[in-house]
Amino acid sequence: MKAGTSEQVVWRARLVLGCLLLTALCFQRMPGPVATGGRLDDPGTVLRGALHLWDPSSALGHLQSQAFGYLWPIGPFQWLTRALSMPEWVGQRLWWSVVLCVAFLGVWKLANALRYGVPLTRFAVALLYGLSPLLIGAMSITSVQVWPLAMAPWVLLPLVTPRARSGWWRVGWSAVAFALIGGAEPVTAALTLVLPALWLLTRRWDRWTLKVAVGWLGCVAAVSVWWLVPLLLVTHYGTPADRDVALAKSAGETYDAVTVHWRSWIDRQDLPGNVLVVPAARPQWVDDELAGRLASGAGDQSLRQTLVNAGVRYVVVRSDLTALAPIAIHETLTETGLKRVASFPRTDIYDLGPANLARLIPESRLVEVRGTTDDVPAVLSALGGDREAITSADSGRGLRELPLIQVDGAASDRQPSALLFRSDADAQSGLLRSVELPQPASYELRGTVRSADVHNRAGAACGAGPVVRVDGVPIKTQVLAGAAESMTFTSCETGPVVLAAGRHDIEVLANGGFVPVEATLTKAGFGNVSVTPVQGINLWRPNPAGLTLEVPGSKEQSVLTVAQNYSAGWEAYDGRGRKLTPIRVAGWQQGWVLPAGEEQLVSARFMPDRSYRAGLLVGALGLVLVTGMAVFYRRRTRRSGHQLQAAQWRNSWLLRRLRSQPASR
C-alpha cells in the first residue's frame, strides 16, 4: 500500500475501529469494580519507594518486592490517571485498553513487515491477538503479565522491517521496545526475546549479521540494567522476613469501601508504629503461637509486650474476611488492655499506645532459646519479666554465654536454665517428653492449661490440677483462677523439683477437665534479672534505607534492636565510627551488639541500597544512550542518502557538460 492512497486511508480507518472495539470491550467488562490485577493502590508511594531497595513501610521492613519493575511504564501511567482525578476503575480500564491496542497494532505491523497472507487475514490475526487476554479471562488476573506479550511484536519488528535502515537503528529500536516492557514481570519479559534471538540465529551468518547480533545483545542488556541490577540484589539478599506482616500501608487483596475507610483513618493519625491486621487474608507475622493467644479470648501483659516489642501501634480486627465475627480476638485485646479507638462497618481498630520502634536491651536480660523462631513468644511469655531472646542459631555473635532455655527436650551439652514443653494445638491428653541433663539441678514447676468448660474453676484445690509425673514420681498441682483458654497451674508441694544428671521422663496429663498446653521447669533463682531496664530509644529515618538512633548511656554491654526484619545488608556504626556486630534478635528482628558507653548517636544504613540506586542511574543512562543511538543512526542514514543523491546529480551534470563540448584533437 503506497502512502496517500485511498486503500491506505481505508486500512487506517479499520485499525482505528479495531482499537475502538478493544477499548469498548475493556470498558464494558464489569464497569465500576476495581480488579486487583496490575493495580497499584498508591502509584505515587510505590514510585517513591522504588527509589530505594529497602521498604520500611510494610511487612516490618523488607526488601521491596520488585516495586522497581513499576518505575516504567506501568507506574507512571497509573500515577498520571490518579493525578488527573480519574475514577480508579476508569484508569484501570484505560490501561487495559492500551495493552490490547498495543498488542493488536504490533501484530498488524509485524504481519505486514513479514508479508504473511493478505491484508484482511493480517487484520483478523492481529485482532484475535489483541482479544486473546479477554478471551482467556486475563482481565481478572493481572495486566503486568499480559503487557510483555503485547510488546513482543514490537521487539521483533525493527529487526525484520523491509525498510532501508541501518543495523544500529534496527537493534536500537528493538532494545527500546524491550525497555518499554519494564521489569514488573522479568521472566515474561525475557520470553519476548526468544523470537528476535531465533530470527537472528536463522539468518545467513556474515560480518553484518554478527555485528547486528552482538549489537542487539549489548543494547538489550543496556536498557535492562535499571531493573536487572535490582533483581540480582533482591535475589542475593533474599527476603529477610521469616514472617510476613499484614500492614495497613502495604497487605492488600481487596480494595472495597471497608478497606478504604480504616486505611484512611490510620493514614490521618500519622503516628509512628506498625499496623497489625487480624485475621489476615494471607499468611502474616502472626505465627501459630501468637495467633492462638489472640484467638484464646484471654489476654495478659505478656501479649501486650510482644506486640509492643514488634513496634505495633494499632491492631485492626477485620470481620469482613470471615463469615463469623472474631469475638474471641476482641475479648483478648480488651483483656490485654488495648483501647478501641475507631469502628467501621465490620472493622475495629485498637490502640496499644506508643510503640517501641527501637530498644536497648541489657545483655543480662537476654536468654538463648534452643528451638525455632516460633518458640520465642512462648518462651518469653512463660518466663515473664522484660526479657528478650536470641535463638541458638544466632547466638555467639559478640555476646557472652547466655542462659539457655531448652524447648521440647532438644539435645543440649549445657545445663538449661529452663525447660519448656509445649503440646500440639489439638492434643487432648497431655505432654510426654524426655530430657537429658548434663548436671543435677533444682527446678520450679509452672505451666498453662485450658478447659472446655468456661465455668470450670473447681482446680484451686491441691491435687486437682493436671497429673504431673517425673520419672514416674507424681507431683501434685493446682490450677489458679483465670480464663478457660489460659489458666496457670503450679506445683502445690513444698520445695522445687530436684533432677539428677542424666535422662528424665516428664509426663503432664489432663485431669479434671484441664488439658495441659505447656509446662515449664525453671531453675531456682533464674527469675532474678538485672536491675538495668530495657529502654525504648528515639529513631529517625532520613530515608527508607537509613536510620539514626539516639542511644542512652549503659553500664553494661547491650543489644540495640530495631522493630524491623533482620537483613545482612544493614550496617551500623557507633558515635566513634566503629562498626557494630549485627545479631538477629527473637529469630527475626534487626539488632547490633553495643558495648557499654556514654550516650551517643548510632547510624545505620542498608548498604546494598547504594548499588541499587547506582543500577537505576546507570540503567536510565543506558536507555537514553540506546534511544539516542537509534535516532542518530537513522538520521545519519538519511543524510548519507541525500549526500549520495547530490553526488549523483553533480556527476550527471558534469558528464552532460563534457559531452556538450567538442572533442579536443
Side-chain angles (χ1 to χ4, degrees), residues 50 64 66-75 181-185 226-227 612:
Q64 57 154 293
Q66 297 184 20
F68 52 83
Y70 291 89
L71 282 172
W72 181 259
I74 301 175
I181 295 176
E185 283 289 329
W226 69 270
W227 61 262
Y612 172 83

Side-chain angles (χ1 to χ4, degrees), residues 103-121:
F104 164 60
L105 295 176
V107 170
W108 163 258
K109 293 183 71 67
L110 183 62
N112 280 324
L114 297 174
R115 298 186 179 182
Y116 286 152
V118 297
L120 189 60
T121 58

Side-chain angles (χ1 to χ4, degrees), residues 28-40:
Q28 183 273 337
R29 188 181 177 93
M30 296 183 300
V34 181
T36 59
R39 176 189 181 274
L40 298 180

Side-chain angles (χ1 to χ4, degrees), residues 283-363:
Q284 55 172 333
W285 169 77
V286 181
D287 55 31
D288 292 338
E289 167 66 22
L290 190 54
R293 294 171 67 186
L294 287 170
S296 68
D300 53 30
Q301 288 305 306
S302 64
L303 174 60
R304 183 189 187 103
Q305 193 64 40
T306 299
L307 297 175
V308 170
N309 290 347
V312 175
R313 176 64 193 253
Y314 295 108
V315 178
V316 177
V317 183
R318 297 189 60 178
S319 303
D320 58 317
L321 299 178
T322 178
L324 300 176
I327 299 176
I329 296 179
H330 288 286
E331 293 177 348
T332 300
L333 297 177
T334 301
E335 288 196 13
T336 302
L338 274 66
K339 180 181 179 182
R340 189 181 314 199
V341 292
S343 294
F344 301 95
R346 300 184 65 80
T347 304
D348 297 282
I349 301 178
Y350 291 82
D351 187 2
L352 277 86
N356 281 343
L357 295 181
R359 295 175 294 153
L360 187 65
I361 306 171
E363 190 176 42

Side-chain angles (χ1 to χ4, degrees), residues 98-138:
V98 172
V99 172
L100 301 189
C101 291
V102 166
F104 164 60
L105 295 176
V107 170
W108 163 258
K109 293 183 71 67
L110 183 62
N112 280 324
L114 297 174
R115 298 186 179 182
Y116 286 152
V118 297
L120 189 60
T121 58
R122 299 170 193 169
F123 183 86
V125 169
L127 190 60
L128 286 175
Y129 189 80
L131 284 170
S132 59
L134 294 178
L135 297 178
I136 65 175

Side-chain angles (χ1 to χ4, degrees), residues 408-488:
D408 278 334
S412 174
D413 55 354
R414 292 168 48 199
Q415 187 73 12
S417 297
L419 299 163
L420 176 65
F421 308 107
R422 307 175 64 195
S423 68
D424 297 331
D426 299 328
Q428 297 297 322
S429 58
L431 297 161
L432 300 174
R433 299 290 188 271
S434 295
V435 64
E436 189 159 348
L437 302 178
Q439 301 172 7
S442 298
Y443 292 92
E444 297 175 351
L445 175 64
R446 192 177 183 88
T448 305
V449 296
R450 68 174 183 269
S451 174
D453 184 1
V454 295
H455 302 293
N456 187 2
R457 294 292 186 269
C462 185
V467 175
V468 178
R469 288 194 289 263
V470 178
D471 297 329
V473 179
I475 299 175
K476 293 182 179 181
T477 65
Q478 66 179 5
V479 177
L480 306 180
E485 288 296 323
S486 180
M487 292 184 283
T488 300

